[in-house]
Amino acid sequence: PFFNSLPVARDELLGGGDARTYSMRFVRVPSLEVVPSEQQYQPLGKRRVRYSSDSFTAVIEFDADGFVTMYEGFLERIA
């Protein structure tokens, strides 16, 4: 979830605006194979963003500092 904060903070998506698509790369371990990943972040307001990649979609909530507090269906920060 930390890495979801990077494009959100860089492009100030918590302030609203249009959805943005990013070309990311993942490194698989242990093979070290580099795999491309298209990801979209859509601002929803109230410090929430809809994240989607391939067939996966989730709403992510952020705190005032831009860090993930809730990742729908995955995790919730408790402290």
Side-chain angles (χ1 to χ4, degrees):
F2 172 74
F3 290 108
N4 294 106
S5 298
L6 299 177
V8 171
R10 183 186 79 184
D11 290 332
E12 300 177 355
L13 298 179
L14 297 182
D18 295 329
R20 297 199 185 199
T21 301
Y22 300 87
S23 296
M24 306 296 202
R25 302 287 183 265
F26 290 104
V27 178
R28 290 191 175 151
V29 176
S31 70
L32 301 180
E33 176 187 8
V34 178
V35 181
S37 173
E38 293 293 314
Q39 301 177 3
Q40 186 178 69
Y41 291 78
Q42 177 186 9
L44 300 175
K46 298 184 180 180
R47 295 197 307 251
R48 297 178 312 131
V49 172
R50 178 175 289 115
Y51 165 82
S52 58
S53 181
D54 296 322
S55 63
F56 179 80
T57 300
V59 173
I60 304 173
E61 295 179 10
F62 296 82
D63 65 15
D65 294 318
F67 293 104
V68 174
T69 59
M70 194 279 301
Y71 196 123
E72 180 183 37
F74 182 53
L75 64 81
E76 182 175 357
R77 186 172 77 189
I78 59 172

